[in-house]
Amino acid sequence: MLPTPPFAPPYIAVIFVNSRTAQDDAGYGQTADAMVALAERQPGYLGHDSVRGADGLGITVSYWTDDAAIAAWKAVGAHRAAQAAGQRRWYAAYTTHVARVERAYAQPDASDATVAGECPAEA
Amino acid sequence: MLPTPPFAPPYIAVIFVNSRTAQDDAGYGQTADAMVALAERQPGYLGHDSVRGADGLGITVSYWTDDAAIAAWKAVGAHRAAQAAGQRRWYAAYTTHVARVERAYAQPDASDATVAGECPAEA
């Protein structure tokens, strides 16, 4: 897996840091996959990066155009049901930080070409 | 490992998403540990969360009081040397997003008590 290239700031990053319980791996995996597929169809979704370590700690960062896109995503019924199940069964603990990205950069430089409004030839 | 509890917004999150090369695991591990120890002594450092997956993708999010704290950390000589080595040897690709955290929350609720300036008894 490669890092998602940066977008043109400003945009919103939702940083979800979580610790899994040992319960219901199959149910968790199915729901996590379904939520990714659903998020990708939401207006204002830009992308995400997600990693889980061997010790059960996970970080998922999703990128969104603006606060309205996040509010709409929070209101989706299937997403609300998944969050409730997560709180009951799948997560021992989690912290969410909602943050406005002010600058972003990448290596190799080619990734920077995805920043809208910048022409690599002129950089 | 448990998620770092949230801080009192606003604060800065530096989201570093990276893909490791297969090179020099020992050197990388030593330097990564040294950089964590050094960052923890920097003025304005609040905390960090870090995960690496089995496929080599890693996400480290560090939390800082403000932009001045990040600028000072970027200027530390040993940190600059580590970043240069990272670009040369350890990272196949990376993306960095610098973002201002506007809101944050956690489960279990006890974690919210770490938000400065809020008294749980009054919540």
Side-chain angles (χ1 to χ4, degrees):
Chain A
M1 288 292 292
L2 287 174
T4 296
F7 306 95
Y11 52 96
I12 310 290
V14 179
I15 305 161
F16 179 59
V17 187
N18 60 84
S19 180
R20 278 277 286 122
T21 61
Q23 277 184 276
D24 188 23
D25 260 357
Y28 173 76
Q30 277 177 13
T31 302
D33 291 347
M35 287 306 110
V36 167
L38 197 58
E40 286 174 347
R41 294 201 303 271
Q42 276 292 119
Y45 169 88
L46 294 173
H48 78 279
D49 292 296
S50 190
V51 176
R52 186 165 306 281
D55 65 355
L57 190 71
I59 301 178
T60 296
V61 187
S62 59
Y63 309 101
W64 301 85
T65 51
D66 52 31
D67 277 317
I70 296 169
W73 171 231
K74 283 186 81 159
V76 170
H79 182 210
R80 294 171 72 98
Q83 285 187 316
Q87 290 189 18
R88 271 198 319 274
R89 285 202 301 270
W90 297 322
Y91 297 122
Y94 66 77
T95 300
T96 303
H97 313 258
V98 183
R100 185 171 306 274
V101 178
E102 297 179 340
R103 53 193 188 278
Y105 43 92
Q107 288 284 346
D109 285 339
S111 305
D112 292 329
T114 64
V115 175
E118 285 189 10
C119 175
E122 292 173 4
Chain B
M1 286 293 292
L2 287 173
T4 296
F7 305 95
Y11 52 97
I12 309 290
V14 179
I15 305 161
F16 180 59
V17 186
N18 61 83
S19 180
R20 277 278 284 123
T21 61
Q23 278 183 277
D24 188 22
D25 260 356
Y28 173 75
Q30 277 177 13
T31 301
D33 291 347
M35 287 306 109
V36 168
L38 197 58
E40 287 173 347
R41 294 201 303 270
Q42 275 294 117
Y45 170 88
L46 294 172
H48 77 281
D49 292 297
S50 190
V51 176
R52 185 164 308 280
D55 65 356
L57 190 71
I59 301 178
T60 296
V61 188
S62 58
Y63 309 101
W64 301 84
T65 51
D66 52 30
D67 277 318
I70 296 170
W73 171 231
K74 283 186 80 158
V76 170
H79 182 211
R80 294 171 72 99
Q83 285 188 315
Q87 291 191 18
R88 271 198 320 273
R89 285 203 301 269
W90 297 321
Y91 297 122
Y94 66 76
T95 300
T96 303
H97 313 260
V98 182
R100 186 171 305 273
V101 178
E102 297 179 340
R103 53 193 189 276
Y105 43 92
Q107 288 284 345
D109 285 338
S111 304
D112 293 330
T114 63
V115 175
E118 283 189 11
C119 175
E122 292 172 5

